[in-house]
Amino acid sequence: MQAAELTRLAEELGLDAVGAAPASAYEETERHIRERRTRGLFADMRFTMARPEVSCHPETLLEGARTVVSAALCYWAEGGEVPAGHGRLPRYTWFDAYAVLRERLDELGQKLGGSYRVLVDANQHVDREAAARSGVGFYGKNTMLITRRHGSWVVLGTLVTDVELEPTPPLDADCGSCTLCIEACPTGALDEPGVLDATRCLSYWTQAGGPIPEEYRGELGDQVYGCDICQDVCPWNRGVEKRRAGQPPPEGAEPHVSLADWLEADGDELARRYDRLFVPRNDPRYLRRNALVALGNTGGDPALAERYAEGDDPLLREHAQWALGRLEERG
């Protein structure tokens, strides 16, 4: 199949960018993963970094694999201001864009024919490398995959197929001399351009087990999960709001959450409601931990923290006491 036909099929299915590359090993990416893991830059994250002998070898993911099709789906939506008493979520979590992309890639696989396998948000495959090889986007200095039309406001997915497709070339684009993301990161997690030090990344700490380091809590502001700072300042991300103007937000889109709800809702129900978020061991304590930090940063109701400050859970007790101290400082 020619590249133009693949593009046409993708557009019909509502995919925002698509490309194809031969199913071959990502040798350099595997080397980078092993090197950075040795340096401790991944902290305790596993994901695609846990088994590079699998995630960097798409040729092993399907018998007779010939082509890796990479696709991007833009998730950007207008969000508005965060109300008092609420915490901010990163844009990619406002709705389950991965589920939408997974469904559309499955449809694409059916149209292409042959045998195929869809991998979306899957630990078995480094989707950014496939996207870079096939021209869907390029690696930014913030380590995000940046597309021409939608910047990094995309989720990525992969279709490995035994159908031979015409390869699409990598993008002739890069960040140039821009260092805005590096300068904007409040914790210096991007000080080495193109390399993320997870041990200093705010997004990592909202998803990690254990306590959030005290020196990073204030930098989180009203963020209760993830972090969009390095995307918000990226010049490649400007203009997407005009291209998406007039499009209604996805049904059920949730730009922010009630801190009171996260601190008072039944734990099991809270974990079920936010199962689209990565939470260690699906333990709602970590959502409550994040909410307590946001409460202290935003000047919320101290009563929401007081019961945790006197509770039996050492993790929540320590973060609640920090939040109350922060509220007292704010006056």
Side-chain angles (χ1 to χ4, degrees), residues 276-328:
R276 68 184 186 277
L277 307 182
F278 175 80
V279 179
R281 298 179 296 282
N282 294 320
D283 189 338
R285 295 164 61 245
Y286 296 111
L287 297 179
R288 300 198 200 281
R289 173 202 63 186
N290 296 352
L292 287 166
V293 171
L295 182 75
N297 286 331
T298 58
D301 182 0
L304 293 171
E306 285 169 354
R307 71 183 181 100
Y308 290 103
E310 299 172 358
D312 296 330
D313 186 311
L315 175 74
L316 297 182
R317 183 172 63 245
E318 193 267 324
H319 284 76
Q321 291 171 353
W322 178 88
L324 289 171
R326 182 88 165 175
L327 291 172
E328 187 174 347

Side-chain angles (χ1 to χ4, degrees), residues 27 105 113 120 130 142 152 164 177 236 245 264 279 287 304 315:
E27 294 178 359
L105 274 174
V120 174
N142 61 359
S152 59
E164 186 167 2
S177 61
W236 281 95
E264 295 181 337
V279 179
L287 297 179
L304 293 171
L315 175 74

Side-chain angles (χ1 to χ4, degrees), residues 184-191 197 199-202 205 215-216 219:
C185 180
T187 57
L190 297 168
D191 282 356
D197 183 350
T199 67
R200 293 191 282 171
C201 177
L202 293 179
W205 284 112
E215 65 268 29
Y216 295 156
E219 302 291 358

Side-chain angles (χ1 to χ4, degrees), residues 9-324:
L9 288 174
E11 289 176 349
E12 289 178 359
L13 294 171
L15 297 171
D16 291 306
V18 69
S24 59
Y26 308 153
E27 294 178 359
E28 187 175 359
T29 299
E30 183 173 4
R31 179 175 61 79
H32 284 317
I33 288 175
R34 295 186 186 281
E35 174 191 288
R36 294 172 192 181
R37 190 169 62 189
T38 299
R39 293 171 58 191
L41 297 177
F42 298 139
D44 63 355
M45 292 192 301
R46 295 187 60 78
F47 307 119
T48 59
M49 297 84 76
R51 298 179 63 200
E53 68 276 10
V54 173
S55 63
C56 294
H57 291 270
E59 74 279 8
T60 68
L61 297 177
L62 177 76
E63 185 176 354
R66 302 181 75 178
T67 307
V68 176
V69 178
S70 183
L73 181 71
C74 180
Y75 59 78
W76 193 93
E78 187 62 57
E81 294 296 317
V82 178
H86 281 233
R88 186 188 307 271
L89 291 174
R91 288 184 189 275
Y92 83 94
T93 68
W94 292 4
F95 69 104
D96 194 349
Y98 286 117
V100 177
L101 178 57
R102 188 176 293 110
E103 181 179 313
R104 293 179 184 179
L105 274 174
D106 187 61
E107 291 183 61
L108 179 61
Q110 294 176 39
K111 289 181 179 293
L112 292 176
S115 297
Y116 66 91
R117 182 178 179 184
V118 172
L119 297 110
V120 174
D121 195 27
N123 294 341
Q124 299 94 330
H125 181 248
V126 183
D127 50 16
R128 280 180 296 177
E129 178 61 20
R133 288 185 174 216
S134 61
V136 168
F138 65 91
Y139 286 110
K141 290 179 182 175
N142 61 359
T143 77
M144 307 290 287
L145 195 286
I146 299 175
T147 65
R148 279 197 184 279
R149 285 189 54 80
H150 302 290
S152 59
W153 301 120
V154 294
V155 290
L156 300 172
T158 306
L159 185 152
V160 182
T161 175
D162 62 2
V163 175
E164 186 167 2
L165 304 177
E166 179 186 15
T168 49
L171 283 185
D172 182 19
D174 57 35
C175 296
S177 61
C178 180
T179 57
L180 289 176
C181 62
I182 297 170
E183 295 160 13
C185 180
T187 57
L190 297 168
D191 282 356
E192 185 178 343
V195 177
L196 173 70
D197 183 350
T199 67
R200 293 191 282 171
C201 177
L202 293 179
S203 182
Y204 165 76
W205 284 112
T206 66
Q207 301 172 58
I212 297 173
E214 190 165 342
E215 65 268 29
Y216 295 156
R217 295 176 193 175
E219 302 291 358
L220 280 165
D222 62 359
Q223 197 81 16
V224 292
Y225 187 88
C227 177
D228 280 339
I229 291 174
C230 66
Q231 297 195 87
D232 287 334
V233 301
C234 179
W236 281 95
N237 286 345
R238 294 172 189 160
V240 67
E241 66 279 359
K242 295 178 181 177
R243 287 189 285 276
R244 307 283 285 186
Q247 294 191 25
E251 184 177 355
E254 190 177 27
H256 45 78
V257 299
S258 163
L259 298 179
D261 176 48
W262 275 29
L263 291 168
E264 295 181 337
D266 174 77
D268 291 340
E269 191 274 331
L270 186 68
R272 282 194 300 271
R273 194 161 16 119
Y274 291 95
D275 63 356
R276 68 184 186 277
L277 307 182
F278 175 80
V279 179
R281 298 179 296 282
N282 294 320
D283 189 338
R285 295 164 61 245
Y286 296 111
L287 297 179
R288 300 198 200 281
R289 173 202 63 186
N290 296 352
L292 287 166
V293 171
L295 182 75
N297 286 331
T298 58
D301 182 0
L304 293 171
E306 285 169 354
R307 71 183 181 100
Y308 290 103
E310 299 172 358
D312 296 330
D313 186 311
L315 175 74
L316 297 182
R317 183 172 63 245
E318 193 267 324
H319 284 76
Q321 291 171 353
W322 178 88
L324 289 171

